[in-house]
Amino acid sequence: MNIARLFILACYLDLTCSLQSLIGGSISWIVNTNFTRDIASRNVIFRIDATFVLPQNSQCKFAENSQVDCSAYDMAIPDCPANGNCGIAENFGVLCIAQLVPQGAGGMKSKYTSNSSQCASDATSDIIGCSPGTSCSSKIGKSNTLILTDIWNEPNLPLSSAYAPNGVSMLKGYMEHTVQVDEDVVALVAWLAPRKGFDNLDQSTGLLLNGCSTNSPPCLANECSLWRVPLPNAYGYGGAAFYEDSSSINDLYWRNFFFECSPALPGVNCLRGASPALETFVPLCSKLYSSSSSSSSSSSSSPYNSSTSNTSQTSDTTSTSYTSNMPTSQASNALHSDMWLCDVSGIVNWHSPIALFPDVIAVATGAAIEENPFKYKSIDGGSISAPYATMEFHSYDLDGHLMTQYSPNLVEEILAKDRKYGRGVPYSIMDTATCRFNDTQSFRVDCIATTSYLDSSDWKLANTSTGCYIFNGSSNTSNHIKPDFSFQDFKGLKVFPFFTQHVMDTIDFPNASDYTLNWNSSTGQAAVQNVFSLYPCNAGSSNQPPMFVSGFPSLTEQVTKVYNLSIVDTHAIKLYAADFVPGSRTLTSSQVVVDYYPGFRAKPSDLVLVHSSPGLAEYEYTFRPLDHLDLVGNGQPSKFRQNVTVICFAAYDLDVNGKYMTNATSKTCPSMPLCIKIHLYVPEYHDCFLFYPNIQCWNTVAETVPAMVDHEKLPPRMFKPSDWSSVLLPEQPKIVYARVNINFRYTFVALMPNPNQNQIELFISSPTSANPPGMKFLQRSCVNFEQNWTSCRGQTDLVFRSGINVDYPSSSCGRFDGTIEWFPQPFNAGKSYQVCATPMVSSHSCLNTWLNQQRCIVIQVMDVRVRWGGFFQDHYLSDFTTSAFIGCTKKWNITVQNLNMDSTGPNYPLLVYLQNISIDAKDAVKEGPAYTFSWTPTFDMAGKSLDMCFAAIDTLGILGNARPLLCKGGGNNLYGCTTDFDCPDGVCQSACIHLRVQKCQYCIQTMTSLELLADTIQPRTDWMRLWALNSYQGKTYAAGNIVGIQFLPQLYPQISIDDPGFITPTAYDQGRVLSFGVLYRPGLDQSIADLAVRFRTTVKAILTLNPDIEASMLVIPANQLLCLQPCSTWY
């Protein structure tokens, strides 16, 4: 065997080639615009951008703008599949892709796996889940076949494009991989991993540099801050985004994420031990249709019906269902859960957030810098000091979602205010003896509240626990981050060169009302991770690098970092840099140079020096939008078409002769990177025509973005273009009403202003958790607009310039109607649910985005608000008290109604329920919300007070239990209540009638005579006494001398008895009230026997006339009103 063969074989024996250390990078992705329409279009394009340490003495071939070639190693790897690029995978890893399918109640598992690797990829031979003899390469991971954009191997020239950062040779590149997604897959997760084995799981380095504790340069100095040291309680090595225990909050997005990536590691969450591994989550949806949605997917006329697709062309798997190992109930739930269906949830995240940031950054150090720290404002309004300036960390999202950024290393400190800015404070769970330089909290990168030169003084929406702003990714500024440490703390480190490595995550919020960090696919949140490295650059004992300023002569640090620029112009962006004497605003005599930051290459001729003087430099960067339409920020071609780009610059100081400074007091070091975000917009058609008459205008945004309209305001066919704004759904959610047990439907309508060249479709974009439980997306219909429909015809299509490839597919849909249906249950009453819809247009000319801003409705389910009426309405001033008379029938009418309904539908049915009564009610009638009953008091009820209490109930069960309370007085008078809080300026009391049966009075309802009446009254009397008692004689002098005698009030019309043998009912309720005794109020210490003696009657007579008095009562209570018949001794 020759020497070359031995050298190549040594790679497989892990002697000369192994997985190179990751310096920095990220993974981003984009979902095919037709993902939900047909099976063949169910694909996602991934892109990995990464910087690695350049392997030494390698047989791989490296050249800029070319793919890495490590084929010399492939023949020495016996288990390498054909075309597996295993040599590349051994050196630079694999872009792992896991296709996730539902498992059980809300769980997920990977569909394609490997026993020998963290994921199935084209570089693994044992792929589980792929049919024998078929290729699954489009569905699994891929060897990291980087196309190199930069090779940095020049150690001595800081301004050279080949400068080796910190003297370490590195290479930077990218790779794209299109993944075909199976029909049953609901999400993807991607990360960077070794080709084989699990070496980066629970290891001291992961994919990162070797820890400096190994004394192997280049090395990772902040091992503890990335949890690359042994953890207690048998946790091993924890990934920064996943480690958690009872004393650690940790990453709020990833902490609950779990999937078993390999059968070889049952129960092991691979990402937990590998992180940071550039992991990213892609929420998707399934094309499998449940029986409940068959009506929406079976129409053969729909252009989106998947039944016409050839499924066999896109599936390499066996016929075994992914639910075969699941319990039947779980399998059914997984297949039929509406939350996973594309017809219901659609895609809410078509693009991952993208964070373009340098993978490796030089931080100038030195005595002068450390002695003149920067000032920052803390969240509580105080200030802190840090040795280094901030860096702008820009993220953007082509879906237009709000985003936030945060470091998963710092979440616990973010929540613990007293430790937010503490340096060198160890975690209680860490063994500080293991952590070098006590860096358990230091040596991280933190978002800050403000610097001393920024305007804001507080953190926005800090309740997200990220510590960073939530911002709009296309036009607003991003976040400032700062190194939360000083490189001076590494003075004791004997290994050089060293780096610190850091993690920043970007999370987007598809639902504008929900800022909760959660990987759950029902929320649709996407996550991307950036890893980057910092290293110290010694600027000398009395020097500091230049800084970017706003301009001359102000020299303030308020530098513009976000630009909104028209796509039809060439733009000149001014860059100003100044070099100050440390600790002052005095300019030095140094020459100042501005250049692109390493990794952000553009045309050298686009960055030119305009003016230079000692300590100052003015540059002009020419931005040509057409050069960036198909490029990402590092200037490399990509399928990731975008309208936002980021480019970074650095400022350097040279001596007066323009040479590098290399002495002990002054050395040339770059400034912190200045990263600017450029947002491109397309002028509206009339603006374009007016201001740019010499060029043809492209109608991308003004005439192809779909519009969400209110179907209740949409005319049947035509309307004037001037009426367009009147039918649009407002940005604020529209309120619509639903009723319990009544089927609710609402139709979202999306219109395409230019239907001739675009297709349009509509999806529910609100998270499943926010939608009404059980809601279905039923009718999905496309309306083919006619040419003469002014409501859909846009301007004539124009082509912007010949350099742009505009793909116009054939049109079949200019209007899309999507109907949601829901059957509210009683427990939904009184609740509100927000449902959002987003239209998608298939036009590839839509530069801004494929999606319009989502529009939402708020479904308010009408509740029951009881209001009492009838008797309570008529008697609320009298405290609901009324009188009844012996002999006459009393009638009551109690009503309830629901006053919480709008006028567009039926009211809820309510009933009155009689809770408690101790009388024999006659003729009780219950008719819906009314309760009518009557009662005739008898002699044994005289003087008694009774309560008749009622409750309101509804037949739908909305109220649950009967509601027996009402408000008495105040603004909510007579409304149902539960506590006094419901009755402002009133009280909450029982809905009761307080009834008093009058003594000594008898009511006649039919014609009678005094003689017959004398025989009826108990105790018996004679007609002459009744005639005398009803003579209506007033209070005479003689009668007034009897202490205690009560005269009846003149409540009712009193008619003299002309004929004792003929008395008619003419007064009260068709009755007539007659007295058959006198009312007497005894004084103190009077007994029944005393009163019997005094009024010449008997004790038995008194007890008969007063059934409310107990016979055992020795003394009559003071003020107790008695009915007496003086001189009646027949009892």
Side-chain angles (χ1 to χ4, degrees):
M1 185 178 294
N2 58 36
I3 295 177
R5 175 72 172 173
L6 286 174
F7 188 88
I8 295 171
L9 181 61
C11 172
Y12 188 63
L13 298 176
D14 200 28
L15 298 178
T16 63
C17 70
S18 59
L19 185 61
Q20 302 303 307
S21 295
L22 177 70
I23 295 297
S26 64
I27 298 174
S28 52
W29 44 265
I30 183 171
V31 180
N32 189 308
T33 58
N34 294 312
F35 185 92
T36 62
R37 295 180 174 176
D38 58 81
I39 304 303
S41 298
R42 283 179 60 89
N43 55 66
V44 178
I45 305 174
F46 285 89
R47 175 180 172 120
I48 180 172
D49 291 87
T51 298
F52 290 90
V53 172
L54 181 66
Q56 301 299 310
N57 302 317
S58 174
Q59 295 296 301
C60 295
K61 299 176 182 179
F62 309 109
E64 287 188 1
N65 302 317
S66 298
Q67 181 179 304
V68 173
D69 181 5
C70 294
S71 58
Y73 292 116
D74 292 346
M75 60 182 296
I77 303 175
D79 62 346
C80 180
N83 302 317
N85 292 308
C86 295
I88 291 178
E90 288 287 342
N91 281 271
F92 303 106
V94 169
L95 174 61
C96 272
I97 305 293
Q99 299 208 25
L100 303 180
V101 293
Q103 183 180 35
M108 292 185 290
K109 73 173 185 178
S110 180
K111 187 172 182 179
Y112 303 100
T113 57
S114 167
N115 277 314
S116 62
S117 306
Q118 293 178 33
C119 68
S121 74
D122 63 352
T124 56
S125 56
D126 60 329
I127 301 174
I128 302 173
C130 186
S131 300
T134 61
S135 173
C136 291
S137 59
S138 64
K139 302 182 179 184
I140 55 179
K142 182 182 179 181
S143 301
N144 199 7
T145 53
L146 295 173
I147 297 176
L148 298 183
T149 58
D150 296 275
I151 298 176
W152 300 319
N153 55 7
E154 172 55 61
N156 299 315
L157 299 175
L159 283 175
S160 168
S161 60
Y163 175 69
N166 212 15
V168 178
S169 296
M170 302 178 184
L171 54 83
K172 178 179 176 63
Y174 73 96
M175 180 193 72
E176 291 185 356
H177 177 36
T178 300
V179 177
Q180 187 68 34
V181 181
D182 288 343
E183 292 180 75
D184 53 350
V185 170
V186 298
L188 302 177
V189 64
W191 71 103
L192 182 64
R195 183 185 79 88
K196 289 195 66 177
F198 309 94
D199 288 344
N200 68 321
L201 302 182
D202 295 331
Q203 301 294 315
S204 60
T205 60
L207 299 167
L208 307 178
L209 292 162
N210 292 324
C212 290
S213 56
T214 65
N215 296 316
S216 175
C219 63
L220 168 64
N222 58 325
E223 297 173 76
C224 288
S225 69
L226 289 181
W227 288 336
R228 292 302 171 187
V229 295
L231 299 172
N233 304 322
Y235 277 103
Y237 295 86
F242 289 83
Y243 178 75
E244 59 176 293
D245 74 354
S246 59
S247 60
S248 177
I249 302 298
N250 217 275
D251 192 313
L252 300 180
Y253 180 87
W254 285 108
R255 65 175 299 179
N256 294 320
F257 181 83
F258 179 89
F259 83 101
E260 185 181 290
C261 63
S262 173
L265 297 175
V268 174
N269 184 2
C270 287
L271 288 186
R272 177 209 168 274
S275 181
L278 311 183
E279 56 262 20
T280 181
F281 180 75
V282 188
L284 297 171
C285 60
S286 170
K287 283 293 287 184
L288 293 180
Y289 294 99
S290 70
S291 58
S292 63
S293 63
S294 60
S295 63
S296 65
S297 60
S298 59
S299 174
S300 60
S301 62
S302 172
Y304 312 111
N305 192 337
S306 64
S307 62
T308 59
S309 300
N310 188 351
T311 306
S312 62
Q313 295 179 355
T314 61
S315 177
D316 298 329
T317 60
T318 64
S319 60
T320 303
S321 170
Y322 67 86
T323 59
S324 59
N325 296 323
M326 297 165 54
T328 303
S329 61
Q330 292 185 359
S332 177
N333 289 339
L335 283 170
H336 297 285
S337 174
D338 285 345
M339 68 177 289
W340 304 115
L341 292 177
C342 288
D343 271 0
V344 175
S345 58
I347 301 293
V348 297
N349 245 317
W350 298 88
H351 310 79
S352 70
I354 297 177
L356 293 177
F357 193 68
D359 290 344
V360 58
I361 299 171
V363 179
T365 63
I369 295 174
E370 303 288 340
E371 293 170 1
N372 296 279
F374 287 81
K375 298 292 185 180
Y376 301 93
K377 294 179 181 179
S378 63
I379 192 171
D380 55 5
S383 62
I384 59 171
S385 299
Y388 312 120
T390 63
M391 298 169 280
E392 193 86 359
F393 189 79
H394 288 291
S395 299
Y396 60 88
D397 182 45
L398 298 184
D399 297 316
H401 298 154
L402 297 179
M403 295 178 291
T404 192
Q405 305 154 330
Y406 67 101
S407 171
N409 313 76
L410 287 169
V411 173
E412 186 171 351
E413 294 92 312
I414 295 297
L415 294 179
K417 180 179 177 181
D418 57 338
R419 296 196 301 170
K420 185 181 296 293
Y421 298 108
R423 289 174 50 206
V425 180
Y427 283 114
S428 60
I429 62 172
M430 288 290 190
D431 178 6
T432 56
T434 307
C435 294
R436 300 173 62 84
F437 315 116
N438 197 26
D439 74 338
T440 56
Q441 185 172 340
S442 300
F443 315 139
R444 307 186 185 184
V445 173
D446 189 10
C447 288
I448 65 166
T450 66
T451 63
S452 58
Y453 56 83
L454 293 180
D455 295 329
S456 179
S457 60
D458 202 353
W459 291 14
K460 184 178 181 181
L461 294 178
N463 60 335
T464 59
S465 305
T466 68
C468 296
Y469 288 97
I470 289 179
F471 59 94
N472 181 310
S474 63
S475 58
N476 295 71
T477 58
S478 302
N479 282 287
H480 286 265
I481 59 174
K482 66 174 179 62
D484 193 27
F485 64 93
S486 169
F487 278 105
Q488 295 298 314
D489 294 333
F490 290 100
K491 289 180 179 179
L493 187 62
K494 305 299 183 183
V495 185
F496 190 85
F498 66 85
F499 295 81
T500 62
Q501 296 195 276
H502 310 275
V503 183
M504 287 294 291
D505 286 356
T506 300
I507 310 295
D508 68 358
F509 301 104
N511 183 18
S513 62
D514 184 4
Y515 300 105
T516 304
L517 296 180
N518 191 347
W519 71 266
N520 190 326
S521 63
S522 67
T523 65
Q525 290 183 357
V528 294
Q529 185 179 89
N530 281 69
V531 172
F532 58 95
S533 299
L534 305 179
Y535 68 91
C537 177
N538 185 1
S541 60
S542 59
N543 185 44
Q544 65 182 14
M547 65 175 58
F548 287 95
V549 293
S550 59
F552 306 147
S554 60
L555 302 180
T556 67
E557 291 91 344
Q558 292 177 332
V559 181
T560 301
K561 302 182 181 69
V562 177
Y563 293 85
N564 292 297
L565 305 179
S566 166
I567 193 174
V568 297
D569 280 327
T570 296
H571 305 274
I573 297 176
K574 296 290 187 178
L575 301 172
Y576 303 91
D579 190 35
F580 297 107
V581 175
S584 73
R585 305 297 289 180
T586 302
L587 295 173
T588 68
S589 59
S590 301
Q591 288 190 26
V592 177
V593 177
V594 174
D595 200 358
Y596 300 110
Y597 209 87
F600 289 81
R601 301 174 64 187
K603 295 178 181 178
S605 58
D606 285 347
L607 183 64
V608 297
L609 177 65
V610 176
H611 169 78
S612 178
S613 61
L616 293 175
E618 176 187 352
Y619 278 73
E620 185 174 276
Y621 169 60
T622 301
F623 181 77
R624 296 178 174 84
L626 290 182
D627 294 341
H628 293 264
L629 286 180
D630 294 322
L631 306 179
V632 293
N634 59 10
Q636 297 304 316
S638 171
K639 296 177 183 178
F640 287 61
R641 179 177 285 115
Q642 59 195 47
N643 68 325
V644 183
T645 190
V646 174
I647 189 165
C648 299
F649 303 90
Y652 301 82
D653 52 354
L654 306 175
D655 65 17
V656 294
N657 297 314
K659 303 294 184 181
Y660 296 123
M661 297 185 293
T662 58
N663 57 62
T665 58
S666 299
K667 296 181 180 179
T668 296
C669 285
S671 66
M672 286 295 198
L674 170 67
C675 296
I676 61 174
K677 180 189 295 184
I678 299 173
H679 172 232
L680 299 176
Y681 70 90
V682 180
E684 293 186 6
Y685 177 80
H686 59 275
D687 291 338
C688 182
F689 180 79
L690 179 63
F691 294 106
Y692 307 98
N694 296 325
I695 63 173
Q696 290 180 303
C697 297
W698 194 22
N699 69 325
T700 53
V701 174
E703 294 152 17
T704 61
V705 173
M708 293 290 292
V709 300
D710 190 338
H711 75 278
E712 296 177 347
K713 298 180 180 179
L714 191 64
R717 283 181 67 89
M718 298 180 62
F719 61 98
K720 298 177 182 179
S722 60
D723 297 333
W724 179 264
S725 60
S726 65
V727 302
L728 294 176
L729 273 178
E731 292 186 11
Q732 295 299 319
K734 177 183 177 181
I735 297 177
V736 295
Y737 297 97
R739 286 169 170 75
V740 170
N741 282 16
I742 296 179
N743 201 47
F744 171 84
R745 286 193 177 191
Y746 184 86
T747 299
F748 288 98
V749 177
L751 290 182
M752 190 67 228
N754 190 11
N756 296 332
Q757 297 174 336
N758 302 285
Q759 292 186 119
I760 189 172
E761 195 167 353
L762 189 69
F763 294 104
I764 298 299
S765 54
S766 50
T768 304
S769 57
N771 295 335
M775 183 194 79
K776 299 183 182 301
F777 197 10
L778 282 186
Q779 298 176 349
R780 294 158 52 82
S781 58
C782 177
V783 180
N784 293 320
F785 276 1
E786 301 173 10
Q787 288 296 309
N788 61 348
W789 285 29
T790 58
S791 60
C792 68
R793 189 172 66 247
Q795 301 287 346
T796 302
D797 293 324
L798 299 174
V799 178
F800 178 55
R801 284 181 183 175
S802 59
I804 298 178
N805 178 24
V806 181
D807 178 19
Y808 286 127
S810 61
S811 174
S812 63
C813 184
R815 166 179 166 175
F816 201 96
D817 295 355
T819 300
I820 59 173
E821 183 181 63
W822 179 45
F823 195 76
Q825 301 296 323
F827 59 83
N828 301 125
K831 297 180 181 178
S832 296
Y833 302 91
Q834 180 166 293
V835 181
C836 301
T838 302
M840 186 187 79
V841 58
S842 65
S843 170
H844 289 264
S845 66
C846 193
L847 180 71
N848 184 30
T849 175
W850 288 291
L851 301 178
N852 189 16
Q853 293 291 332
Q854 68 178 7
R855 291 295 182 263
C856 305
I857 62 171
V858 173
I859 304 173
Q860 292 186 357
V861 186
M862 303 306 298
D863 201 0
V864 173
R865 191 183 186 197
V866 176
R867 192 180 192 279
W868 295 83
F871 173 86
F872 293 108
Q873 175 70 41
D874 299 334
H875 293 80
Y876 74 91
L877 295 177
S878 62
D879 199 26
F880 310 136
T881 300
T882 188
S883 297
F885 297 89
I886 300 169
C888 275
T889 300
K890 182 74 173 181
K891 294 183 179 180
W892 291 273
N893 180 44
I894 309 298
T895 63
V896 289
Q897 58 180 324
N898 178 28
L899 294 186
N900 198 35
M901 305 295 284
D902 66 331
S903 60
T904 61
N907 213 324
Y908 291 145
L910 300 182
L911 296 177
V912 178
Y913 169 68
L914 182 59
Q915 280 195 310
N916 63 306
I917 190 170
S918 58
I919 60 176
D920 184 16
K922 303 295 185 182
D923 302 323
V925 178
K926 302 176 183 178
E927 295 180 355
Y931 190 104
T932 304
F933 68 97
S934 59
W935 176 58
T936 305
T938 56
F939 286 97
D940 60 345
M941 303 299 294
K944 293 184 178 181
S945 295
L946 305 173
D947 285 340
M948 292 180 291
C949 297
F950 303 87
I953 58 175
D954 72 285
T955 59
L956 300 178
I958 298 173
L959 294 175
N961 298 326
R963 300 297 176 90
L965 304 176
L966 56 76
C967 290
K968 177 67 168 60
N972 289 336
N973 186 43
L974 300 183
Y975 281 93
C977 60
T978 54
T979 65
D980 286 344
F981 181 79
D982 301 324
C983 308
D985 300 323
V987 295
C988 185
Q989 66 180 47
S990 298
C992 296
I993 296 176
H994 307 296
L995 177 64
R996 295 175 184 175
V997 182
Q998 299 300 311
K999 291 183 177 183
C1000 286
Q1001 293 179 286
Y1002 184 83
C1003 180
I1004 60 173
Q1005 288 185 295
T1006 60
M1007 185 179 68
T1008 186
S1009 66
L1010 291 183
E1011 186 174 2
L1012 291 175
L1013 190 57
D1015 291 335
T1016 303
I1017 292 174
Q1018 300 173 9
R1020 184 179 180 280
T1021 184
D1022 61 77
W1023 68 270
M1024 295 182 65
R1025 181 185 295 271
L1026 292 177
W1027 198 351
L1029 287 172
N1030 293 279
S1031 63
Y1032 303 110
Q1033 179 181 349
K1035 184 176 182 180
T1036 63
Y1037 174 78
N1041 290 332
I1042 304 175
V1043 178
I1045 290 294
Q1046 304 292 310
F1047 289 88
L1048 294 176
Q1050 306 296 311
L1051 294 178
Y1052 312 107
Q1054 297 172 335
I1055 303 174
S1056 300
I1057 300 176
D1058 299 327
D1059 183 354
F1062 185 79
I1063 303 174
T1064 58
T1066 57
Y1068 174 71
D1069 285 347
Q1070 295 184 350
R1072 184 169 183 173
V1073 178
L1074 300 176
S1075 296
F1076 57 84
V1078 295
L1079 295 175
Y1080 176 78
R1081 195 179 301 277
L1084 296 175
D1085 300 328
Q1086 287 187 308
S1087 66
I1088 298 176
D1090 293 337
L1091 295 177
V1093 172
R1094 180 178 179 185
F1095 290 99
R1096 297 182 183 183
T1097 185
T1098 63
V1099 171
K1100 184 177 182 180
I1102 294 177
L1103 292 176
T1104 302
L1105 290 169
N1106 298 277
D1108 57 330
I1109 301 297
E1110 298 291 337
S1112 60
M1113 192 177 295
L1114 298 177
V1115 178
I1116 304 299
N1119 297 321
Q1120 174 70 51
L1121 198 62
L1122 297 179
C1123 180
L1124 300 176
Q1125 288 182 346
C1127 303
S1128 56
T1129 59
W1130 43 79
Y1131 258 144

